[in-house]
Amino acid sequence: MTCSGEEAAVIGSAAALKDEDTVFTQYREVGVFLWRGFTPDDIMHQCFSTHKDNTKGRQMPIHYSSKKHNIQCVSSTLATQVPNAVGYAYSNKLKNIPAVTATFFGEGAASEGDVHAAMNMAAVLKCPTLFICRNNGYAISTSTVDQYAGDGIAARAVGYGMRSVRVDGNDLFAVHQAVSEARQLALRETCPVLVELMTYRVGHHSTSDDSTAYRSIDEVNYWNREDSPVGRLGGFLEKRGLWDQDQEQSFSKECRKEIMGAFNRAESTPKPSPYLLFDDVYDSESGHLAEQRQQMKQHLAQYGQHYDLNNYDI
């Protein structure tokens, strides 16, 4: 799951939030994790489910989470993170915690009932929530033309009695300003705000998707050539003498080296101990779990040669 073509929407939003703001992401916001200090090694250890994965190998790949960085676990079940974010914001409100809760989702997920319930709840209870919608043109293979007949997502806020703003999601500075002001408004008036970021998904939906089956190469190339957020920012910096193509090539090589290094380290790192199976089920280990742990220990002592235990952190 990449965010190719949506980099400004993700990074611009992340930069506008504060560390105390809790974030509930969907699955294209790895940039939010990186912005807050989650490292390429952290990412790779999660994807390979190694013993260094902070979720202990219990999540599917790309389902990152980080209590340290105040980001809840990635949700791939569409829109379930949205009502969770509102509940979290309501809790903060009751505790007088001066922070907002931000939740990301796509325009396709906005068709889920969870989003309707969440927005209504946030507006009625005046929860300081930022609903950040990445309108990237496609819900997997379904174009926005076939998703809704109304004026996008931002217009829906009126029905909930909520403020909203629509922004050029490929303009890094516009995104940063809009989310910054939305955050200030949410805190100042203790209210939710909907931000719709108009962007375009250049990449396939996922590695199992072939987007040429439902859109033309010319369409993708147009957006990649004429309205790429990375290209627009690069052009902005180059015109001011702050960046050039030599720096671009050098930086790209450095990034690739860092990513492949993290990839190789994670690939060779042992998996979590199988005994973690019995941890975190209850606050303290119950009698029947202790019994099962002992049974596993006896089983591995007797039949361990049939398992490749060298690949596990035992």
Side-chain angles (χ1 to χ4, degrees):
M1 293 284 188
T2 71
C3 66
S4 300
E6 304 173 55
E7 296 91 346
V10 175
I11 298 300
S13 298
L17 298 172
K18 304 300 182 183
D19 290 344
E20 60 267 26
D21 299 331
T22 303
V23 180
F24 289 74
T25 68
Q26 195 164 327
Y27 43 61
R28 295 197 193 282
E29 288 79 35
V30 67
V32 177
F33 284 87
L34 291 170
W35 180 266
R36 290 198 168 190
F38 208 68
T39 68
D41 281 286
D42 294 329
I43 290 170
M44 293 301 177
H45 284 302
Q46 197 282 324
C47 288
F48 278 94
S49 294
T50 77
H51 75 91
K52 293 184 178 182
D53 168 26
N54 66 353
T55 61
K56 302 180 181 179
R58 295 170 179 167
Q59 290 286 358
M60 293 189 295
I62 78 162
H63 285 59
Y64 320 110
S65 67
S66 180
K67 183 177 181 179
K68 175 183 176 181
H69 300 103
N70 209 10
I71 311 176
Q72 300 290 328
C73 188
V74 169
S75 169
S76 60
T77 308
L78 284 183
T80 56
Q81 75 279 11
V82 183
N84 289 341
V86 175
Y88 198 97
Y90 186 51
S91 173
N92 279 349
K93 176 185 175 180
L94 295 178
K95 297 173 184 175
N96 293 315
I97 296 175
V100 303
T101 302
T103 180
F104 290 82
F105 55 98
E107 89 290 340
S111 294
E112 293 287 337
D114 297 48
V115 174
H116 161 72
M119 289 188 177
N120 190 54
M121 176 181 174
V124 171
L125 298 177
K126 299 189 182 305
C127 305
T129 313
L130 296 186
F131 296 95
I132 303 176
C133 177
R134 295 175 290 94
N135 191 331
N136 64 17
Y138 288 91
I140 306 182
S141 60
T142 306
S143 168
T144 53
V145 174
D146 297 314
Q147 289 184 51
Y148 50 75
D151 185 18
I153 309 303
R156 300 180 189 181
V158 176
Y160 299 111
M162 187 192 310
R163 315 285 185 83
S164 69
V165 62
R166 175 178 291 153
V167 189
D168 179 353
N170 287 354
D171 184 331
L172 179 70
F173 303 112
V175 172
H176 183 270
Q177 180 176 350
V179 176
S180 295
E181 293 186 7
R183 181 185 183 276
Q184 293 171 11
L185 176 62
L187 282 177
R188 185 173 64 250
E189 300 190 15
T190 315
C191 67
V193 182
L194 169 60
V195 181
E196 183 178 16
L197 306 176
M198 306 305 292
T199 181
Y200 185 82
R201 195 196 78 210
V202 169
H204 303 295
H205 171 72
S206 68
T207 54
S208 61
D209 175 46
D210 177 10
S211 65
T212 61
Y214 52 84
R215 61 181 182 179
S216 70
I217 293 293
D218 289 341
E219 176 183 318
V220 176
N221 287 341
Y222 168 81
W223 283 91
N224 208 20
R225 182 182 64 253
E226 300 294 338
D227 204 7
S228 163
V230 175
R232 287 171 62 173
L233 178 61
F236 176 88
L237 295 175
E238 286 180 9
K239 287 180 180 178
R240 287 157 180 77
L242 301 173
W243 197 250
D244 58 41
Q245 285 304 306
D246 289 339
Q247 289 174 293
E248 179 75 19
Q249 293 178 11
S250 175
F251 184 65
S252 294
K253 289 180 181 178
E254 289 177 15
C255 288
R256 179 175 176 78
K257 182 179 179 180
E258 182 179 10
I259 292 169
M260 293 309 300
F263 181 99
N264 293 330
R265 286 189 291 272
E267 189 177 32
S268 60
T269 300
K271 304 296 184 184
S273 168
Y275 293 107
L276 289 176
L277 177 69
F278 308 104
D279 294 346
D280 307 317
V281 180
Y282 299 106
D283 180 54
S284 58
E285 190 173 274
S286 63
H288 71 281
L289 282 179
E291 183 180 350
Q292 291 174 27
R293 183 190 293 272
Q294 185 60 29
Q295 289 173 347
M296 175 178 275
K297 185 176 181 180
Q298 293 171 354
H299 176 81
L300 292 179
Q302 185 174 357
Y303 301 106
Q305 70 274 18
H306 299 291
Y307 301 91
D308 192 2
L309 295 178
N310 291 327
N311 286 335
Y312 292 84
D313 183 41
I314 299 181

